[in-house]
Amino acid sequence: MKILLNNNSLFKSLRPFNDIGFVPTMGSIHEGHLSLIDRSNKTCKKTIVSIFVNPKQFNNKKDFKNYPTNIKEDIKILKKTKKVDFLYIPKFKDLYSNNKKSNIKITKKDKVLCAKYRKGHFEGVLDVMGRLTNLVNPKKIFMGKKDYQQYFLIKNYLKNKYKTSIIPCRTIRNKSKMALSSRNNHLDLYGIKKASFLSKSLIKLKRNLKNSKKIKKNLRIKMKYFEKLLKIKIEYLELRSIKNLKISNNIRDSRLFVAYYIDNIRLIDNF
Ligand code: AMP
């Protein structure tokens, strides 16, 4: 695994290759990231992973400062997989030196779920993903369905600009069904138990949902119920179409999207 610390070494190292699989991350590598790497390794000739905690996508400065980082451990884990050919760890200036102001705007119809609650977040995500794609020029980018709205917006944003295809990959969960996430590192055992309980309950709830005009109303009642029971704050609990992320009354081709806070840690998932 070759570590690339600036754009010069990135260009030099990638130039000979055109079948490149790319796994962009913010580090604190876990099994979720490793599943994307595995997919890339099986599909593409070369796999490149990036680690960059992008300040522009954090709508909350404290959240950025507290984002878990552990680059030494990450390098160790990634090396051990023997599936990563290149690890790109850019500095801020490697991505933003051209200083071109981005004019990315999330349209009104897309301002739902996290885009509604995290102002400027996806504008920052799309900006950095455009820059990374431009530099790495991958054939395929592997992304987790855990962050479904992120996958959905990036796919639509990149599709007219680059030939790169975006490959959605399944969500990796722990034994008690909680989705793996770097943010889980901030939870104590009690927090993990609450998140696991909620995940199991929402899997069951999704399974038992019946098509009905009342789904939206029923989900609001469930949301209040879980908030009270677990003493947590739920930002949204909504059934939406996976095709366009519109509110859905039909369980086919729809997923149950949730964002919630446990001890001020914001977690998202979908079922
Ligand atoms: P992050 O480092 O959190 O920005 O995530 C980098 C990539 O890993 C994104 O495409 C995420 O959707 C994906 N990812 C994060 N958690 C999981 C998970 N539990 N299962 C599968 N993919 C994941």
Side-chain angles (χ1 to χ4, degrees), residues 23-27 30-33 35-36 57 67 142-147 150 169-173 179-182:
V23 180
T25 82
M26 299 209 293
H30 53 66
E31 289 291 332
H33 299 123
S35 71
L36 307 182
Q57 72 187 63
Y67 195 83
F142 297 84
M143 309 215 73
K145 283 198 258 189
K146 180 183 101 54
D147 303 286
Q150 169 173 275
C169 303
R170 76 183 179 91
T171 301
I172 304 299
R173 300 179 179 280
L180 300 186
S181 163
S182 306

PDB file of all heavy atoms in Angstrom, residues 23-27 30-33 35-36 57 67 142-147 150 169-173 179-182, ligand 1:
ATOM      1  N   VAL A  23     -12.531   4.561  -2.835  1.00  0.00           N
ATOM      2  CA  VAL A  23     -13.337   4.534  -1.608  1.00  0.00           C
ATOM      3  C   VAL A  23     -13.002   5.780  -0.783  1.00  0.00           C
ATOM      4  O   VAL A  23     -12.014   5.786  -0.040  1.00  0.00           O
ATOM      5  CB  VAL A  23     -13.059   3.246  -0.781  1.00  0.00           C
ATOM      6  CG1 VAL A  23     -13.915   3.237   0.486  1.00  0.00           C
ATOM      7  CG2 VAL A  23     -13.325   1.987  -1.609  1.00  0.00           C
ATOM      8  N   PRO A  24     -13.810   6.837  -0.922  1.00  0.00           N
ATOM      9  CA  PRO A  24     -13.549   8.040  -0.116  1.00  0.00           C
ATOM     10  C   PRO A  24     -14.049   7.862   1.313  1.00  0.00           C
ATOM     11  O   PRO A  24     -15.164   7.357   1.518  1.00  0.00           O
ATOM     12  CB  PRO A  24     -14.348   9.138  -0.833  1.00  0.00           C
ATOM     13  CG  PRO A  24     -15.361   8.430  -1.653  1.00  0.00           C
ATOM     14  CD  PRO A  24     -14.924   7.024  -1.868  1.00  0.00           C
ATOM     15  N   THR A  25     -13.241   8.258   2.304  1.00  0.00           N
ATOM     16  CA  THR A  25     -13.649   8.136   3.714  1.00  0.00           C
ATOM     17  C   THR A  25     -13.168   9.348   4.505  1.00  0.00           C
ATOM     18  O   THR A  25     -12.347  10.122   4.031  1.00  0.00           O
ATOM     19  CB  THR A  25     -13.049   6.883   4.412  1.00  0.00           C
ATOM     20  OG1 THR A  25     -11.706   7.182   4.832  1.00  0.00           O
ATOM     21  CG2 THR A  25     -13.040   5.662   3.521  1.00  0.00           C
ATOM     22  N   MET A  26     -13.676   9.425   5.729  1.00  0.00           N
ATOM     23  CA  MET A  26     -13.168  10.429   6.675  1.00  0.00           C
ATOM     24  C   MET A  26     -12.359   9.736   7.777  1.00  0.00           C
ATOM     25  O   MET A  26     -12.146  10.307   8.853  1.00  0.00           O
ATOM     26  CB  MET A  26     -14.322  11.233   7.256  1.00  0.00           C
ATOM     27  CG  MET A  26     -15.088  11.993   6.175  1.00  0.00           C
ATOM     28  SD  MET A  26     -15.844  13.506   6.747  1.00  0.00           S
ATOM     29  CE  MET A  26     -17.060  12.852   7.860  1.00  0.00           C
ATOM     30  N   GLY A  27     -11.930   8.518   7.521  1.00  0.00           N
ATOM     31  CA  GLY A  27     -11.073   7.818   8.478  1.00  0.00           C
ATOM     32  C   GLY A  27     -11.845   7.168   9.608  1.00  0.00           C
ATOM     33  O   GLY A  27     -13.056   6.972   9.523  1.00  0.00           O
ATOM     34  N   HIS A  30     -13.548   1.349   9.863  1.00  0.00           N
ATOM     35  CA  HIS A  30     -14.243   0.221  10.499  1.00  0.00           C
ATOM     36  C   HIS A  30     -14.690  -0.772   9.420  1.00  0.00           C
ATOM     37  O   HIS A  30     -14.439  -0.555   8.222  1.00  0.00           O
ATOM     38  CB  HIS A  30     -15.426   0.713  11.352  1.00  0.00           C
ATOM     39  CG  HIS A  30     -16.379   1.616  10.614  1.00  0.00           C
ATOM     40  ND1 HIS A  30     -17.156   1.182   9.573  1.00  0.00           N
ATOM     41  CD2 HIS A  30     -16.655   2.944  10.755  1.00  0.00           C
ATOM     42  CE1 HIS A  30     -17.891   2.179   9.121  1.00  0.00           C
ATOM     43  NE2 HIS A  30     -17.603   3.266   9.810  1.00  0.00           N
ATOM     44  N   GLU A  31     -15.382  -1.815   9.859  1.00  0.00           N
ATOM     45  CA  GLU A  31     -15.775  -2.890   8.919  1.00  0.00           C
ATOM     46  C   GLU A  31     -16.656  -2.381   7.777  1.00  0.00           C
ATOM     47  O   GLU A  31     -16.687  -2.979   6.710  1.00  0.00           O
ATOM     48  CB  GLU A  31     -16.508  -4.012   9.660  1.00  0.00           C
ATOM     49  CG  GLU A  31     -15.630  -4.855  10.577  1.00  0.00           C
ATOM     50  CD  GLU A  31     -14.637  -5.739   9.821  1.00  0.00           C
ATOM     51  OE1 GLU A  31     -14.932  -6.110   8.671  1.00  0.00           O
ATOM     52  OE2 GLU A  31     -13.573  -6.037  10.401  1.00  0.00           O
ATOM     53  N   GLY A  32     -17.411  -1.317   8.018  1.00  0.00           N
ATOM     54  CA  GLY A  32     -18.236  -0.730   6.952  1.00  0.00           C
ATOM     55  C   GLY A  32     -17.341  -0.264   5.809  1.00  0.00           C
ATOM     56  O   GLY A  32     -17.570  -0.596   4.634  1.00  0.00           O
ATOM     57  N   HIS A  33     -16.295   0.499   6.152  1.00  0.00           N
ATOM     58  CA  HIS A  33     -15.343   0.949   5.130  1.00  0.00           C
ATOM     59  C   HIS A  33     -14.674  -0.256   4.452  1.00  0.00           C
ATOM     60  O   HIS A  33     -14.488  -0.270   3.234  1.00  0.00           O
ATOM     61  CB  HIS A  33     -14.236   1.810   5.758  1.00  0.00           C
ATOM     62  CG  HIS A  33     -14.729   3.063   6.440  1.00  0.00           C
ATOM     63  ND1 HIS A  33     -14.465   3.336   7.760  1.00  0.00           N
ATOM     64  CD2 HIS A  33     -15.470   4.095   5.978  1.00  0.00           C
ATOM     65  CE1 HIS A  33     -15.015   4.500   8.083  1.00  0.00           C
ATOM     66  NE2 HIS A  33     -15.626   4.980   7.021  1.00  0.00           N
ATOM     67  N   SER A  35     -15.767  -3.148   3.914  1.00  0.00           N
ATOM     68  CA  SER A  35     -16.639  -3.861   2.960  1.00  0.00           C
ATOM     69  C   SER A  35     -16.615  -3.147   1.597  1.00  0.00           C
ATOM     70  O   SER A  35     -16.696  -3.784   0.550  1.00  0.00           O
ATOM     71  CB  SER A  35     -18.064  -3.978   3.502  1.00  0.00           C
ATOM     72  OG  SER A  35     -18.697  -2.727   3.489  1.00  0.00           O
ATOM     73  N   LEU A  36     -16.510  -1.824   1.611  1.00  0.00           N
ATOM     74  CA  LEU A  36     -16.431  -1.080   0.348  1.00  0.00           C
ATOM     75  C   LEU A  36     -15.098  -1.379  -0.344  1.00  0.00           C
ATOM     76  O   LEU A  36     -15.027  -1.550  -1.570  1.00  0.00           O
ATOM     77  CB  LEU A  36     -16.525   0.430   0.577  1.00  0.00           C
ATOM     78  CG  LEU A  36     -17.701   0.988   1.398  1.00  0.00           C
ATOM     79  CD1 LEU A  36     -17.637   2.507   1.462  1.00  0.00           C
ATOM     80  CD2 LEU A  36     -19.023   0.573   0.809  1.00  0.00           C
ATOM     81  N   GLN A  57     -17.973  20.380   5.098  1.00  0.00           N
ATOM     82  CA  GLN A  57     -19.271  19.707   5.170  1.00  0.00           C
ATOM     83  C   GLN A  57     -19.823  19.641   6.593  1.00  0.00           C
ATOM     84  O   GLN A  57     -20.868  19.047   6.818  1.00  0.00           O
ATOM     85  CB  GLN A  57     -19.187  18.313   4.563  1.00  0.00           C
ATOM     86  CG  GLN A  57     -18.414  17.304   5.384  1.00  0.00           C
ATOM     87  CD  GLN A  57     -18.242  16.013   4.626  1.00  0.00           C
ATOM     88  OE1 GLN A  57     -17.608  15.980   3.580  1.00  0.00           O
ATOM     89  NE2 GLN A  57     -18.824  14.934   5.147  1.00  0.00           N
ATOM     90  N   TYR A  67     -14.651  15.215  15.593  1.00  0.00           N
ATOM     91  CA  TYR A  67     -14.775  14.039  14.718  1.00  0.00           C
ATOM     92  C   TYR A  67     -13.597  13.088  15.002  1.00  0.00           C
ATOM     93  O   TYR A  67     -12.440  13.518  15.019  1.00  0.00           O
ATOM     94  CB  TYR A  67     -14.795  14.453  13.236  1.00  0.00           C
ATOM     95  CG  TYR A  67     -15.290  13.306  12.381  1.00  0.00           C
ATOM     96  CD1 TYR A  67     -16.652  13.076  12.220  1.00  0.00           C
ATOM     97  CD2 TYR A  67     -14.389  12.410  11.805  1.00  0.00           C
ATOM     98  CE1 TYR A  67     -17.107  11.994  11.491  1.00  0.00           C
ATOM     99  CE2 TYR A  67     -14.840  11.326  11.067  1.00  0.00           C
ATOM    100  CZ  TYR A  67     -16.200  11.133  10.921  1.00  0.00           C
ATOM    101  OH  TYR A  67     -16.648  10.048  10.204  1.00  0.00           O
ATOM    102  N   PHE A 142     -17.108   3.610  -4.672  1.00  0.00           N
ATOM    103  CA  PHE A 142     -17.910   2.719  -3.835  1.00  0.00           C
ATOM    104  C   PHE A 142     -18.415   3.493  -2.620  1.00  0.00           C
ATOM    105  O   PHE A 142     -17.617   4.082  -1.890  1.00  0.00           O
ATOM    106  CB  PHE A 142     -17.076   1.494  -3.428  1.00  0.00           C
ATOM    107  CG  PHE A 142     -16.682   0.684  -4.626  1.00  0.00           C
ATOM    108  CD1 PHE A 142     -15.556   1.013  -5.382  1.00  0.00           C
ATOM    109  CD2 PHE A 142     -17.470  -0.380  -5.045  1.00  0.00           C
ATOM    110  CE1 PHE A 142     -15.211   0.292  -6.516  1.00  0.00           C
ATOM    111  CE2 PHE A 142     -17.146  -1.111  -6.177  1.00  0.00           C
ATOM    112  CZ  PHE A 142     -16.012  -0.775  -6.916  1.00  0.00           C
ATOM    113  N   MET A 143     -19.741   3.482  -2.430  1.00  0.00           N
ATOM    114  CA  MET A 143     -20.334   4.263  -1.332  1.00  0.00           C
ATOM    115  C   MET A 143     -21.338   3.421  -0.551  1.00  0.00           C
ATOM    116  O   MET A 143     -22.015   2.554  -1.115  1.00  0.00           O
ATOM    117  CB  MET A 143     -21.064   5.483  -1.897  1.00  0.00           C
ATOM    118  CG  MET A 143     -20.227   6.304  -2.851  1.00  0.00           C
ATOM    119  SD  MET A 143     -20.567   8.053  -2.737  1.00  0.00           S
ATOM    120  CE  MET A 143     -19.818   8.444  -1.190  1.00  0.00           C
ATOM    121  N   GLY A 144     -21.457   3.725   0.737  1.00  0.00           N
ATOM    122  CA  GLY A 144     -22.348   2.944   1.606  1.00  0.00           C
ATOM    123  C   GLY A 144     -23.789   3.421   1.520  1.00  0.00           C
ATOM    124  O   GLY A 144     -24.052   4.620   1.490  1.00  0.00           O
ATOM    125  N   LYS A 145     -24.706   2.447   1.525  1.00  0.00           N
ATOM    126  CA  LYS A 145     -26.128   2.792   1.522  1.00  0.00           C
ATOM    127  C   LYS A 145     -26.584   3.289   2.894  1.00  0.00           C
ATOM    128  O   LYS A 145     -27.679   3.790   3.035  1.00  0.00           O
ATOM    129  CB  LYS A 145     -26.974   1.590   1.110  1.00  0.00           C
ATOM    130  CG  LYS A 145     -26.928   1.351  -0.396  1.00  0.00           C
ATOM    131  CD  LYS A 145     -28.077   0.482  -0.846  1.00  0.00           C
ATOM    132  CE  LYS A 145     -27.594  -0.931  -1.067  1.00  0.00           C
ATOM    133  NZ  LYS A 145     -28.572  -1.803  -1.697  1.00  0.00           N
ATOM    134  N   LYS A 146     -25.721   3.141   3.893  1.00  0.00           N
ATOM    135  CA  LYS A 146     -26.069   3.693   5.212  1.00  0.00           C
ATOM    136  C   LYS A 146     -26.325   5.191   5.079  1.00  0.00           C
ATOM    137  O   LYS A 146     -27.229   5.738   5.681  1.00  0.00           O
ATOM    138  CB  LYS A 146     -24.964   3.458   6.233  1.00  0.00           C
ATOM    139  CG  LYS A 146     -25.330   4.040   7.589  1.00  0.00           C
ATOM    140  CD  LYS A 146     -24.247   3.880   8.587  1.00  0.00           C
ATOM    141  CE  LYS A 146     -23.429   5.097   8.831  1.00  0.00           C
ATOM    142  NZ  LYS A 146     -24.092   6.334   9.184  1.00  0.00           N
ATOM    143  N   ASP A 147     -25.490   5.834   4.261  1.00  0.00           N
ATOM    144  CA  ASP A 147     -25.653   7.273   4.011  1.00  0.00           C
ATOM    145  C   ASP A 147     -26.372   7.409   2.666  1.00  0.00           C
ATOM    146  O   ASP A 147     -25.797   7.909   1.694  1.00  0.00           O
ATOM    147  CB  ASP A 147     -24.287   7.940   4.003  1.00  0.00           C
ATOM    148  CG  ASP A 147     -23.549   7.689   5.303  1.00  0.00           C
ATOM    149  OD1 ASP A 147     -23.920   8.290   6.304  1.00  0.00           O
ATOM    150  OD2 ASP A 147     -22.628   6.831   5.335  1.00  0.00           O
ATOM    151  N   GLN A 150     -26.699  10.747   0.868  1.00  0.00           N
ATOM    152  CA  GLN A 150     -25.395  11.180   0.359  1.00  0.00           C
ATOM    153  C   GLN A 150     -25.094  10.479  -0.969  1.00  0.00           C
ATOM    154  O   GLN A 150     -24.712  11.111  -1.957  1.00  0.00           O
ATOM    155  CB  GLN A 150     -24.317  10.846   1.394  1.00  0.00           C
ATOM    156  CG  GLN A 150     -22.909  10.989   0.888  1.00  0.00           C
ATOM    157  CD  GLN A 150     -21.884  10.817   2.002  1.00  0.00           C
ATOM    158  OE1 GLN A 150     -21.580  11.751   2.702  1.00  0.00           O
ATOM    159  NE2 GLN A 150     -21.356   9.620   2.166  1.00  0.00           N
ATOM    160  N   CYS A 169     -23.286   0.198  -1.808  1.00  0.00           N
ATOM    161  CA  CYS A 169     -22.926  -1.056  -1.107  1.00  0.00           C
ATOM    162  C   CYS A 169     -23.743  -1.175   0.181  1.00  0.00           C
ATOM    163  O   CYS A 169     -24.049  -0.169   0.829  1.00  0.00           O
ATOM    164  CB  CYS A 169     -21.448  -1.046  -0.758  1.00  0.00           C
ATOM    165  SG  CYS A 169     -20.384  -0.820  -2.188  1.00  0.00           S
ATOM    166  N   ARG A 170     -24.028  -2.409   0.549  1.00  0.00           N
ATOM    167  CA  ARG A 170     -24.940  -2.654   1.672  1.00  0.00           C
ATOM    168  C   ARG A 170     -24.346  -2.168   3.010  1.00  0.00           C
ATOM    169  O   ARG A 170     -23.117  -2.059   3.150  1.00  0.00           O
ATOM    170  CB  ARG A 170     -25.314  -4.136   1.759  1.00  0.00           C
ATOM    171  CG  ARG A 170     -24.248  -5.008   2.324  1.00  0.00           C
ATOM    172  CD  ARG A 170     -24.677  -6.485   2.304  1.00  0.00           C
ATOM    173  NE  ARG A 170     -23.594  -7.293   2.832  1.00  0.00           N
ATOM    174  CZ  ARG A 170     -23.470  -7.607   4.110  1.00  0.00           C
ATOM    175  NH1 ARG A 170     -24.359  -7.211   5.002  1.00  0.00           N
ATOM    176  NH2 ARG A 170     -22.438  -8.327   4.512  1.00  0.00           N
ATOM    177  N   THR A 171     -25.242  -1.912   3.936  1.00  0.00           N
ATOM    178  CA  THR A 171     -24.849  -1.406   5.262  1.00  0.00           C
ATOM    179  C   THR A 171     -24.340  -2.544   6.146  1.00  0.00           C
ATOM    180  O   THR A 171     -25.002  -3.576   6.268  1.00  0.00           O
ATOM    181  CB  THR A 171     -26.057  -0.726   5.950  1.00  0.00           C
ATOM    182  OG1 THR A 171     -26.487   0.342   5.110  1.00  0.00           O
ATOM    183  CG2 THR A 171     -25.704  -0.193   7.319  1.00  0.00           C
ATOM    184  N   ILE A 172     -23.187  -2.336   6.751  1.00  0.00           N
ATOM    185  CA  ILE A 172     -22.643  -3.344   7.668  1.00  0.00           C
ATOM    186  C   ILE A 172     -23.072  -2.977   9.094  1.00  0.00           C
ATOM    187  O   ILE A 172     -22.934  -1.825   9.526  1.00  0.00           O
ATOM    188  CB  ILE A 172     -21.094  -3.388   7.577  1.00  0.00           C
ATOM    189  CG1 ILE A 172     -20.650  -3.640   6.132  1.00  0.00           C
ATOM    190  CG2 ILE A 172     -20.524  -4.435   8.524  1.00  0.00           C
ATOM    191  CD1 ILE A 172     -21.118  -4.939   5.503  1.00  0.00           C
ATOM    192  N   ARG A 173     -23.604  -3.977   9.793  1.00  0.00           N
ATOM    193  CA  ARG A 173     -24.130  -3.771  11.146  1.00  0.00           C
ATOM    194  C   ARG A 173     -23.393  -4.640  12.155  1.00  0.00           C
ATOM    195  O   ARG A 173     -22.810  -5.659  11.780  1.00  0.00           O
ATOM    196  CB  ARG A 173     -25.624  -4.133  11.187  1.00  0.00           C
ATOM    197  CG  ARG A 173     -26.434  -3.303  10.242  1.00  0.00           C
ATOM    198  CD  ARG A 173     -27.925  -3.643  10.213  1.00  0.00           C
ATOM    199  NE  ARG A 173     -28.549  -2.733   9.274  1.00  0.00           N
ATOM    200  CZ  ARG A 173     -28.868  -1.482   9.562  1.00  0.00           C
ATOM    201  NH1 ARG A 173     -28.696  -1.026  10.797  1.00  0.00           N
ATOM    202  NH2 ARG A 173     -29.368  -0.689   8.662  1.00  0.00           N
ATOM    203  N   ALA A 179     -25.910   0.037  12.847  1.00  0.00           N
ATOM    204  CA  ALA A 179     -24.993   0.276  11.723  1.00  0.00           C
ATOM    205  C   ALA A 179     -23.647   0.759  12.248  1.00  0.00           C
ATOM    206  O   ALA A 179     -23.589   1.590  13.165  1.00  0.00           O
ATOM    207  CB  ALA A 179     -25.595   1.335  10.803  1.00  0.00           C
ATOM    208  N   LEU A 180     -22.568   0.223  11.684  1.00  0.00           N
ATOM    209  CA  LEU A 180     -21.246   0.695  12.096  1.00  0.00           C
ATOM    210  C   LEU A 180     -21.073   2.132  11.609  1.00  0.00           C
ATOM    211  O   LEU A 180     -21.516   2.492  10.521  1.00  0.00           O
ATOM    212  CB  LEU A 180     -20.151  -0.190  11.503  1.00  0.00           C
ATOM    213  CG  LEU A 180     -20.207  -1.660  11.906  1.00  0.00           C
ATOM    214  CD1 LEU A 180     -18.974  -2.392  11.377  1.00  0.00           C
ATOM    215  CD2 LEU A 180     -20.288  -1.826  13.418  1.00  0.00           C
ATOM    216  N   SER A 181     -20.430   2.939  12.435  1.00  0.00           N
ATOM    217  CA  SER A 181     -20.182   4.338  12.089  1.00  0.00           C
ATOM    218  C   SER A 181     -19.027   4.852  12.941  1.00  0.00           C
ATOM    219  O   SER A 181     -18.880   4.448  14.105  1.00  0.00           O
ATOM    220  CB  SER A 181     -21.441   5.162  12.385  1.00  0.00           C
ATOM    221  OG  SER A 181     -21.122   6.525  12.443  1.00  0.00           O
ATOM    222  N   SER A 182     -18.222   5.732  12.366  1.00  0.00           N
ATOM    223  CA  SER A 182     -17.103   6.300  13.130  1.00  0.00           C
ATOM    224  C   SER A 182     -17.620   7.020  14.368  1.00  0.00           C
ATOM    225  O   SER A 182     -16.965   7.058  15.407  1.00  0.00           O
ATOM    226  CB  SER A 182     -16.330   7.288  12.264  1.00  0.00           C
ATOM    227  OG  SER A 182     -15.940   6.664  11.066  1.00  0.00           O
TER     228      SER A 182
HETATM  229  P1  AMP B   1     -17.357   8.125   6.279  1.00  0.00           P
HETATM  230  O1  AMP B   1     -15.941   7.803   6.631  1.00  0.00           O
HETATM  231  O2  AMP B   1     -18.293   8.025   7.433  1.00  0.00           O
HETATM  232  O3  AMP B   1     -17.472   9.428   5.523  1.00  0.00           O
HETATM  233  O4  AMP B   1     -17.850   6.990   5.268  1.00  0.00           O
HETATM  234  C1  AMP B   1     -17.136   6.686   4.113  1.00  0.00           C
HETATM  235  C2  AMP B   1     -17.939   5.709   3.293  1.00  0.00           C
HETATM  236  O5  AMP B   1     -18.205   4.529   4.058  1.00  0.00           O
HETATM  237  C3  AMP B   1     -19.315   6.275   2.874  1.00  0.00           C
HETATM  238  O6  AMP B   1     -19.599   5.849   1.557  1.00  0.00           O
HETATM  239  C4  AMP B   1     -20.239   5.627   3.863  1.00  0.00           C
HETATM  240  O7  AMP B   1     -21.564   5.492   3.392  1.00  0.00           O
HETATM  241  C5  AMP B   1     -19.591   4.261   4.033  1.00  0.00           C
HETATM  242  N1  AMP B   1     -20.019   3.639   5.292  1.00  0.00           N
HETATM  243  C6  AMP B   1     -20.016   4.184   6.533  1.00  0.00           C
HETATM  244  N2  AMP B   1     -20.540   3.322   7.425  1.00  0.00           N
HETATM  245  C7  AMP B   1     -20.893   2.206   6.744  1.00  0.00           C
HETATM  246  C8  AMP B   1     -21.491   0.954   7.100  1.00  0.00           C
HETATM  247  N3  AMP B   1     -21.836   0.674   8.352  1.00  0.00           N
HETATM  248  N4  AMP B   1     -21.699   0.044   6.124  1.00  0.00           N
HETATM  249  C9  AMP B   1     -21.357   0.304   4.831  1.00  0.00           C
HETATM  250  N5  AMP B   1     -20.783   1.453   4.428  1.00  0.00           N
HETATM  251  C10 AMP B   1     -20.553   2.403   5.371  1.00  0.00           C
END
